[in-house]
């Protein structure tokens, strides 16, 4: 994939964690980056730390990834920045509970990532006329197996996996490249609201977000004559 001049990468859920590492590394690799996140406070800080120091290179858009109107307005603006060549659907929300403890609120929380993935993928495919674009769906190893305290979270991730596999079938042989990314546990604030499930000591044993971002980008942006379709990354035991 060429990434020079006015080539744009979109990252959803880029205000913290893996998403923020991807934003930083994509900018270092020469992309104009559009960062999509609902965390207004964190995004305002990034407008100062990244936007003001990198005028024209970093652009933040604050809103709900699952909101079609917000996505449409944002994509209209993003399309004016340059040629969209990469979408990384990274946004997602966790809920880790015993099966009988899940509520409708938890279900909606877990489905945010799936809905946002569909909304932004559809929007980017339309904006690029279904040509010359990489779409990376960041999921989780929870999309590959069942976990006792992640039943609804796994259900949402398995849905994302089904969507990803269907996209691969729909665009096989075309210039639209679909990549499924399945990382195991990452040392980020993703687990802040689930300390009874993942305490800080366990969290810090997980993979580092900056290393994962490098592994992902090295693979999908390789100039080798090949296509990476799936990338499963687990921490060393």
């Amino acid at each position: 994939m060429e990434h020079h001049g006015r080539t744009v990468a979109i990252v959803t859920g880029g205000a913290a964690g893996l998403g923020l590492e991807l934003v930083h590394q994509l900018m270092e690799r020469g992309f104009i980056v559009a960062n999509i996140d609902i965390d207004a406070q964190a995004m305002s800080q990034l407008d100062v730390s990244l936007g003001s120091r990198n005028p024209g290179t970093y652009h933040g858009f604050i809103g709900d990834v699952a909101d079609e109107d917000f996505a449409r307005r944002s994509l209209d603006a993003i399309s004016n920045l340059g040629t969209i060549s990469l979408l990384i659907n990274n946004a997602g929300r966790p809920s880790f509970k015993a099966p009988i403890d899940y509520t409708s609120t938890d279900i909606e929380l877990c489905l945010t990532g799936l809905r946002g993935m569909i909304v932004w993928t559809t929007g980017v495919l339309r904006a690029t006329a279904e040509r010359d674009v990489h779409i990376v769906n960041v999921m989780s190893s929870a999309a590959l197996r069942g976990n006792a305290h992640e039943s609804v979270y796994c259900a949402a991730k398995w849905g994302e996996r089904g969507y990803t596999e269907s996209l691969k079938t729909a665009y096989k042989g075309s210039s639209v490249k679909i990549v499924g990314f399945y990382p195991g546990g990452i040392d980020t604030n993703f687990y802040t609201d689930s300390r009874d499930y993942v305490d800080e000591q366990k969290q810090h044993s997980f993979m580092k977000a900056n290393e994962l971002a490098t592994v992902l980008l090295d693979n999908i942006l390789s100039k080798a004559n090949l296509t990476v379709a799936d990338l499963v990354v687990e921490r060393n035991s």
Side-chain angles (χ1 to χ4, degrees), residues 147-204:
N147 297 317
H149 277 67
E150 302 180 19
S151 56
V152 174
Y153 181 67
C154 284
K157 293 302 172 184
W158 280 60
E160 292 175 12
R161 179 184 172 193
Y163 181 64
T164 301
E165 291 302 313
S166 297
L167 287 173
K168 289 180 188 177
T169 301
Y171 290 99
K172 184 177 181 179
S174 77
S175 61
V176 175
K177 306 302 180 186
I178 309 296
V179 180
F181 185 44
Y182 301 90
I186 309 173
D187 184 7
T188 71
N189 60 6
F190 195 67
Y191 306 96
T192 301
D193 297 329
S194 306
R195 286 303 180 207
D196 57 334
Y197 183 56
V198 177
D199 60 31
E200 287 197 54
Q201 182 177 359
K202 183 177 181 181
Q203 175 191 312
H204 294 323

Side-chain angles (χ1 to χ4, degrees), residues 20-220:
L20 182 55
E21 288 294 340
L22 289 166
V23 167
H24 280 292
Q25 293 192 28
L26 284 164
M27 290 174 64
E28 291 170 358
R29 292 172 188 245
F31 283 87
I32 297 168
V33 177
N35 183 12
I36 318 300
D37 205 289
I38 199 170
D39 188 335
Q41 181 177 356
M43 291 292 280
S44 294
Q45 292 172 351
L46 289 174
D47 280 342
V48 174
S49 63
L50 291 181
S52 62
R53 297 176 186 174
N54 302 275
T57 300
Y58 174 84
H59 302 267
F61 297 83
I62 302 170
D64 181 352
V65 291
D67 184 329
E68 290 184 356
D69 288 337
F70 163 68
R72 183 169 55 253
R73 292 193 306 272
S74 298
L75 279 166
D76 284 345
I78 293 168
S79 295
N80 290 326
L81 300 175
T83 301
I84 299 170
S85 66
L86 175 62
L87 166 66
I88 302 182
N89 286 307
N90 172 72
R93 301 287 296 279
S95 182
F96 305 128
K97 296 184 176 182
I100 61 172
D101 292 334
Y102 275 103
T103 66
S104 59
T105 299
D106 300 317
I107 295 168
E108 290 302 311
L109 193 70
C110 289
L111 287 174
T112 298
L114 173 59
R115 288 173 173 160
M117 183 180 290
I118 295 169
V119 166
W120 279 86
T121 297
T122 303
V124 165
L125 287 170
R126 289 172 178 162
T128 58
E130 300 178 289
R131 292 195 304 268
D132 301 324
V133 62
H134 263 69
I135 296 174
V136 180
N137 290 339
V138 178
M139 291 167 276
S140 163
S141 57
L144 303 173
R145 57 177 176 260
N147 297 317
H149 277 67
E150 302 180 19
S151 56
V152 174
Y153 181 67
C154 284
K157 293 302 172 184
W158 280 60
E160 292 175 12
R161 179 184 172 193
Y163 181 64
T164 301
E165 291 302 313
S166 297
L167 287 173
K168 289 180 188 177
T169 301
Y171 290 99
K172 184 177 181 179
S174 77
S175 61
V176 175
K177 306 302 180 186
I178 309 296
V179 180
F181 185 44
Y182 301 90
I186 309 173
D187 184 7
T188 71
N189 60 6
F190 195 67
Y191 306 96
T192 301
D193 297 329
S194 306
R195 286 303 180 207
D196 57 334
Y197 183 56
V198 177
D199 60 31
E200 287 197 54
Q201 182 177 359
K202 183 177 181 181
Q203 175 191 312
H204 294 323
S205 72
F206 292 167
M207 294 180 287
K208 303 305 179 186
N210 63 326
E211 295 177 347
L212 269 176
T214 299
V215 168
L216 173 59
L217 296 180
D218 281 351
N219 277 274
I220 65 171

